[in-house]
Structures are given as C-alpha cells and as structure tokens.
Amino acid sequence: MVLGYFEISLQSHAGKSTAKKSICFTDIEQKDLNKIITTIKTEHALQDEPDFIEITFLEVTDLNIKDRETYMKGKLHDFLESMYPNHGRFRLSLIYNTIFGEIKRKNDYEWKVSDFDEVKKHKGISRSEFQNMLNHFDIDDEFEQTWEEISKRLNSEKVNFKVIMKLKAAWKELEITQMEVTNEYFQSQQLVIREVLKEKDEQSAPLLYQDLVESVYFDYKQREPQSMLDEYIIKATTLLEYCRL
C-alpha cells in the first residue's frame, strides 16, 4: 500500500507515524488495526481473520499528490532514458496523456470480479501492451525522417505546392493520432487503407502521389463512403502505410 505522509495512531513504543517512511501493521494501535481487519474481512467475505499483520506495511512515497503530473512526467522521462539511453528527446506530454488515457479507460470498465486474473486482464496494463504503446511514440524520430524522404519524392514529381503543405499538416496530425492507442475508429480505417494499398500493383503506379495515393483514396472512399476521416489524413495514412510495406 502506498500513501503520502499522514498521521495514524501507533503503539507507544513505535513513535510518531509522521516521522516514519515505513509502518508495519504490528505497530498500529489495536483499535485502528481492528477496524482495518474488519474492513478486509467484510470486503473479501472472510469467515476467519486473515493472517497478514506481520507482513503488511504502509510505505510513504515521495509523490506529491497535488503536483503528481509533473512528478510522473519526470519519472517517465527517467524510465524512457533507461530503456533508450541513446535518445534524449521524448514527447513526454503525448506519451503521458496516452498512458493516462488508457489507465482511465480501464478504470471506467465495470464488471463482476471472479478472480485476480480478471482484475489483471481488465484493469492492468501488461508488459506487452505497454511496449506496444511505446512502439507508437516514434522515439527514434523516424516519423519526421520519413516525411523528409516523402517530400523529396513529391517535389520531384512536381506535386502542387499547396497539396504538399496540406499533406505535411495531415502528417503532423497523423503523428499524434498514431499515439492514441485507444482510438479504435482510426485503427479500423487504417487497416482498410492498408488492405487497399496491398491490392495495388506498384509497377502500375510510377508516380507516388498521382498514380498511387490518389488511386488508394478513390478505392478507400468506395469501400468507406461514410468515413469520418479528412481527405488528407487518408492520403497521409496511405503514404505512411506505403513506407511500412
């Protein structure tokens, strides 16, 4: 159990709770300890008193409850640096908001608990799920590098300057959307675009924008006439998926 500094009644030999970093349940005054035991028995429908007093502790954390976002971003940055020591630039606000949004989404999910495995499944974030989130955050800055290569190709094909600017704006928006791992609608449409693109014969599309992107856009709209995606988001996503194939 992790708590901030607070005052709790301890037995006479244990001293003051506010002066401790760790408090064993054996040091808690008996009347308060009895309340805790009763609450646990009620919550878990236990007939007998649980045997946990000597192995349970209250740990004081350095987390400032009133300024937790700044604190957590600092911890997140340290964690990312330990995983990616060669990268000094992380989009902390986007990463933090994505992780926080996923935690909030899982926390809002209500169901009847039958065992601990279900708690982990519906409320927890697994190592693989967390790694999948990190994979969306472009820590290697490949997104920007990919756009540089695409823009060179578009300019060589003499694509209209205003079209390139609209694609660039959509590309920046797409970078953020890619990080929204809970955006199930976009992910479903991204899959459709990917499928359409795979059906195209690259040999029959010598021009990236005019022959390939425009063609994919036309076919996509035929399949998804009610799509809520903006035209240039669709085209930017097509370029992204093309580079990933």
Side-chain angles (χ1 to χ4, degrees), residues 8-203:
I8 186 171
S9 298
L10 301 181
Q11 296 183 33
S12 57
H13 70 274
K16 291 186 176 182
S17 61
T18 52
K20 292 178 173 290
K21 292 285 287 183
S22 178
I23 302 171
C24 182
F25 269 36
T26 56
D27 291 337
I28 298 176
E29 198 171 86
Q30 192 61 47
K31 65 176 183 179
D32 289 335
L33 187 58
N34 289 339
K35 292 178 182 179
I36 295 172
I37 293 173
T38 300
T39 300
I40 291 175
K41 286 179 65 178
T42 301
E43 182 177 347
H44 296 281
L46 301 176
Q47 297 298 321
D48 301 320
E49 290 191 359
D51 185 15
F52 70 100
I53 306 302
E54 295 182 354
I55 59 172
T56 305
F57 295 80
L58 299 176
E59 297 288 342
V60 178
T61 176
D62 54 356
L63 173 60
N64 185 341
I65 301 301
K66 294 182 179 179
D67 195 26
R68 61 184 181 275
E69 182 173 335
T70 300
Y71 175 89
M72 290 307 299
K73 284 182 178 179
K75 287 293 186 182
L76 182 59
H77 184 272
D78 291 343
F79 175 72
L80 291 173
E81 278 198 332
S82 69
M83 290 187 66
Y84 305 96
N86 296 324
H87 302 280
R89 185 173 72 89
F90 305 108
R91 295 173 175 81
L92 282 179
S93 293
L94 293 174
I95 297 174
Y96 175 84
N97 290 339
T98 299
I99 295 173
F100 181 79
E102 178 64 5
I103 292 173
K104 184 177 180 181
R105 184 184 71 83
K106 284 180 173 285
N107 192 52
D108 288 342
Y109 182 83
E110 296 183 5
W111 86 109
K112 292 183 179 179
V113 179
S114 61
D115 55 43
F116 185 65
D117 286 337
E118 284 204 2
V119 175
K120 291 193 297 182
K121 176 182 178 182
H122 296 292
K123 294 292 187 180
I125 297 176
S126 68
R127 182 185 297 271
S128 61
E129 287 175 324
F130 184 71
Q131 185 60 57
N132 184 53
M133 287 184 191
L134 292 182
N135 291 341
H136 284 79
F137 294 143
D138 190 33
I139 291 174
D140 291 327
D141 204 25
E142 291 182 359
F143 219 79
E144 186 64 29
Q145 295 173 24
T146 301
W147 171 253
E148 291 298 324
E149 295 302 317
I150 290 173
S151 64
K152 290 178 183 177
R153 176 75 177 271
L154 296 177
N155 278 300
S156 70
E157 294 180 2
K158 301 188 183 306
V159 176
N160 184 281
F161 177 75
K162 289 185 177 180
V163 170
I164 295 178
M165 289 297 99
K166 288 180 180 179
L167 286 170
K168 183 177 181 179
W171 187 266
K172 289 185 177 296
E173 184 179 342
L174 179 61
E175 181 178 12
I176 297 174
T177 304
Q178 280 280 110
M179 298 183 191
E180 298 173 353
V181 294
T182 59
N183 190 339
E184 295 180 358
Y185 177 75
F186 172 76
Q187 291 172 10
S188 68
Q189 298 307 295
Q190 186 178 27
L191 181 59
V192 175
I193 293 171
R194 189 180 305 156
E195 290 173 348
V196 172
L197 188 57
K198 285 182 178 179
E199 295 171 3
K200 296 294 179 184
D201 181 4
E202 190 172 349
Q203 298 301 320

